[in-house]
């Protein structure tokens, strides 16, 4: 089955796209069309011309200075709020130049795209390539497929789609353009417009609305399969190599979660039936249940079944003390409790576990667990 692919804008978060697409391609997914906004347009071009390995390698080594005329250590200092005198003077000089030039210079970014993106390959691709940008001159959003772009202008339009408001204006045919995120940062509508029935949507902003989302759902012309981070991704200008490689891994495993319908909230666990988890809790020895109950200050009344109290009160109560919100099911509560311990103890996220393998990893950390109720749960489940 072939899909359409929509890539949301997000600057340095574009590494997340590529990690996800790598997982999709490894698992046999094929695409009739790939569209993007801003950095999504850049990545979409690489994908459409069949250069996923090339763009993956690029993201794994990319630095801020590869894209902009600024030293990496200076921008790193600024992002870490390490504003020594030399950094302040350097950045002040760069800011003054940007103001004088009416925006940050993007010539290095343009040079990179000229070297890496092949318009001829794009036009011959079996995948339709499209992007979203915004024409300031016409005050109009533009949803464009490659056939809508004049010969020799494709990279111009990709630059236009990626032109953040702080950048020096991009001109195409004497018209000024700005980043497509101003109009539609996640171009599902463009896929719907060209007749795609099944869309894989790779998000970079967890809570940003998709343009006309309710109307798209109401029309029902396209089914959307979301790959999205559970937490907000780092700053869109964080081009630190370590961060980009982290986003590549996160995108990969979040895509695997969708592909294999994995359990877990921030970890990746092979599916287990909720009923089995309930039975495991109910099979904890009675005296251990009472002890867990005592640590959570849960009152037990005559005639109450402690097994039911474990399921209905104690487990949800312990889960409520974690940082995970919007827990809808008993399974969600179990994972919130155990993943909280896993994160605190730096248990590797980037692996697909069976439930028992995950519990075994937690059991190795019981000496570090201060919450006695949780410690008993892990030892006895």
């Amino acid at each position: 089955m072939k899909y359409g692919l929509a890539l949301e804008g997000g600057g340095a978060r574009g590494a997340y796209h590529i990690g996800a697409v790598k997982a999709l391609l490894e698992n046999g997914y094929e695409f009739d069309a790939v569209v993007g906004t801003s950095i999504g347009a850049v990545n979409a071009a690489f994908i459409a011309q069949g250069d996923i390995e090339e763009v993956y390698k690029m993201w794994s080594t990319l630095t801020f200075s590869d894209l902009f005329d600024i030293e990496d250590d200076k921008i790193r200092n600024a992002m870490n709020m390490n504003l020594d005198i030399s950094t302040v003077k350097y950045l002040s000089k760069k800011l003054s130049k940007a103001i004088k030039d009416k925006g940050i210079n993007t010539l290095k970014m343009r040079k990179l795209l000229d070297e890496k993106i092949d318009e001829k390959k794009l036009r011959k691709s079996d995948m339709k390539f499209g992007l979203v940008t915004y024409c300031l001159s016409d005050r109009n959003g533009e949803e464009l497929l490659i056939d809508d772009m004049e010969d020799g202008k494709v990279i111009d339009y990709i630059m236009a789609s990626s032109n953040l408001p702080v950048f020096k204006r991009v001109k195409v045919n004497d018209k000024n353009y700005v980043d497509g995120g101003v109009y539609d940062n996640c171009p599902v509508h463009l896929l719907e417009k060209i007749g795609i029935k099944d869309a894989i949507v790779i998000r970079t902003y967890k809570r940003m609305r998709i343009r006309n989302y309710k109307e798209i759902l109401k029309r029902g012309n396209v089914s959307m399969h979301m790959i999205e981070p559970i937490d907000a991704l780092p700053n869109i200008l964080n081009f630190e190599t370590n961060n980009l490689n982290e986003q590549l891994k996160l995108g990969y495993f979040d895509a695997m979660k969708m592909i294999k319908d994995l359990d877990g909230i921030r970890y990746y666990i092979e599916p287990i039936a909720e009923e089995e988890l309930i039975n495991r809790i109910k099979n904890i020895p009675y005296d251990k249940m009472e002890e867990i109950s005592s640590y959570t200050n849960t009152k037990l009344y005559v005639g109450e079944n402690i097994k039911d109290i474990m399921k209905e009160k104690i487990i949800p109560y312990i889960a409520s003390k974690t940082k995970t919100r919007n827990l809808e099911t008993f399974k969600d509560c179990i994972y919130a409790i155990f993943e909280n311990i896993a994160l605190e103890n730096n248990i590797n996220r980037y692996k697909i576990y069976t439930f028992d393998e995950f519990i075994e990893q937690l059991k190795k950390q019981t000496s570090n667990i201060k919450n006695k109720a949780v410690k008993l749960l892990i030892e006895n489940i």
Side-chain angles (χ1 to χ4, degrees), residues 16-29:
Y16 182 85
H17 295 154
I18 299 304
V21 173
K22 188 173 190 293
L24 291 166
L25 293 175
E26 286 179 357
N27 283 273
Y29 282 72

Side-chain angles (χ1 to χ4, degrees), residues 293-324:
S293 172
S294 69
Y295 290 132
T296 60
N297 297 317
T298 302
K299 292 182 179 180
L300 300 177
Y301 297 97
V302 175
E304 284 188 316
N305 187 326
I306 193 169
K307 294 183 178 182
D308 291 333
I309 297 301
M310 284 287 291
K311 175 192 169 187
E312 295 166 9
K313 291 184 180 180
I314 295 173
I315 297 299
Y317 172 80
I318 297 172
S320 72
K321 300 303 179 182
T322 69
K323 294 179 180 180
T324 305

Side-chain angles (χ1 to χ4, degrees), residues 171-185:
K171 283 195 173 186
V172 184
N173 297 329
D174 293 324
K175 291 185 177 182
N176 288 313
Y177 283 82
V178 72
D179 193 286
V182 171
Y183 180 71
D184 187 357
N185 202 45

Side-chain angles (χ1 to χ4, degrees), residues 33-227:
V34 53
V35 300
T37 299
S38 195
I39 196 62
V42 175
N43 284 337
F46 279 97
I47 294 163
Q49 69 184 29
D51 287 340
I52 185 65
E53 294 300 329
E54 175 73 18
V55 72
Y56 190 96
K57 181 180 178 181
M58 183 187 80
W59 275 108
S60 68
T61 58
L62 197 64
T63 65
F64 201 90
S65 61
D66 289 330
L67 300 174
F68 309 105
D69 184 23
I70 192 167
E71 295 175 13
D72 287 314
D73 62 330
K74 295 297 191 292
I75 196 68
R76 187 183 301 117
N77 286 346
M79 293 183 70
N80 294 331
M81 299 304 292
N82 181 20
L83 299 176
D84 56 69
I85 294 175
S86 64
T87 298
V88 171
K89 285 182 176 179
Y90 178 86
L91 294 176
S92 296
K93 186 177 179 180
K94 289 292 182 182
L95 179 60
S96 297
K97 188 175 188 311
I99 293 171
K100 183 180 178 180
D101 293 342
K102 298 182 180 179
I104 296 172
N105 189 302
T106 56
L107 287 176
K108 292 183 80 171
M109 180 178 172
R110 172 70 194 226
K111 184 175 182 291
L112 181 66
L113 297 186
D114 282 333
E115 292 173 353
K116 302 288 188 181
I117 294 176
D118 187 333
E119 182 173 328
K120 289 182 180 178
K121 284 175 70 174
L122 272 177
R123 292 191 182 278
K124 291 178 181 178
S125 176
D126 291 333
M127 274 182 268
K128 294 178 182 177
F129 165 69
L131 56 77
V132 174
T133 186
Y134 187 84
C135 182
L136 281 173
S137 301
D138 295 338
R139 296 185 181 181
N140 183 52
E142 295 184 5
E143 299 171 305
L144 304 171
L145 295 177
I146 195 166
D147 290 341
D148 301 319
M149 306 174 205
E150 300 168 44
D151 286 347
K153 298 284 186 179
V154 170
I155 294 178
D156 291 341
Y157 279 107
I158 293 173
M159 289 293 295
S161 179
S162 311
N163 192 243
L164 291 173
V166 294
F167 293 165
K168 192 172 182 178
R169 286 293 153 263
V170 168
K171 283 195 173 186
V172 184
N173 297 329
D174 293 324
K175 291 185 177 182
N176 288 313
Y177 283 82
V178 72
D179 193 286
V182 171
Y183 180 71
D184 187 357
N185 202 45
C186 191
V188 177
H189 178 260
L190 179 53
L191 290 178
E192 181 191 37
K193 187 177 175 181
I194 62 177
I196 295 295
K197 299 301 181 185
D198 284 276
I200 294 176
V201 184
I202 305 180
R203 306 296 309 275
T204 57
Y205 287 91
K206 174 69 177 173
R207 294 170 182 83
M208 183 180 285
R209 293 181 181 178
I210 295 174
R211 182 180 176 86
N212 295 329
Y213 182 70
K214 290 183 179 179
E215 289 82 357
I216 292 170
L217 286 178
K218 187 176 180 180
R219 288 191 292 268
N221 296 325
V222 55
S223 297
M224 287 178 275
H225 312 274
M226 299 289 185
I227 297 173

